[in-house]
Amino acid sequence: MNPHLSNQKLYHKHEEHFKNYICCQEKYKDTIRESDKIIIATISFFSNRKLLRVLDIGYSKGNLLLHLKNNINGLKLYGGDLNKEQAELCKQSEDLNGIGFFQ
């Protein structure tokens, strides 16, 4: 079976859940989640040593990637998510410019 088709079936089976989750994530665009603060601090510690590439799987609205972009210079940022619509929205967002988003 084509893995891409399998992912799409999984997404559509739980589409309402994903929509609710994306809506819930809206509040974290301006307010960094506590768990994201820990991730940012950890990546910041290592970013002083070498160029880092960060891949966020299940990025939803791209909030973690946005906060990494705004808080740590020189990172190569990427995101992967099942939701094709979110991938397109993130690609079009000026705030998320320079981040690679994939479905």
Side-chain angles (χ1 to χ4, degrees):
M1 176 180 237
N2 182 334
H4 178 71
L5 293 177
S6 177
N7 291 341
Q8 286 303 306
K9 287 181 183 179
L10 174 67
Y11 174 76
H12 291 296
K13 181 178 178 182
H14 301 284
E15 186 171 2
E16 190 63 31
H17 168 75
F18 284 117
K19 285 181 181 180
N20 289 336
Y21 180 77
I22 289 166
C23 185
C24 176
Q25 291 300 306
E26 186 64 36
K27 64 184 171 188
Y28 296 117
K29 181 177 181 183
D30 297 318
T31 304
I32 302 174
R33 296 184 318 178
E34 291 301 313
S35 59
D36 287 352
K37 289 178 184 178
I38 295 168
I39 293 169
I40 291 167
T42 303
I43 292 172
S44 180
F45 175 79
F46 288 105
S47 71
N48 295 328
R49 300 178 185 190
K50 58 184 172 185
L51 173 67
L52 290 180
R53 290 178 179 87
V54 177
L55 173 61
D56 181 7
I57 301 295
Y59 58 82
S60 181
K61 297 192 68 65
N63 293 330
L64 173 60
L65 294 166
L66 172 67
H67 297 306
L68 286 167
K69 175 185 173 183
N70 291 338
N71 288 282
I72 305 172
N73 292 326
L75 295 177
K76 295 288 186 177
L77 300 170
Y78 305 92
D81 200 292
L82 292 176
N83 187 331
K84 184 178 182 177
E85 293 167 3
Q86 278 307 120
E88 292 305 316
L89 288 173
C90 287
K91 286 177 185 178
Q92 295 171 12
S93 169
E94 287 187 30
D95 291 338
L96 299 170
N97 190 27
I99 301 172
F101 290 100
F102 305 94
Q103 185 233 354

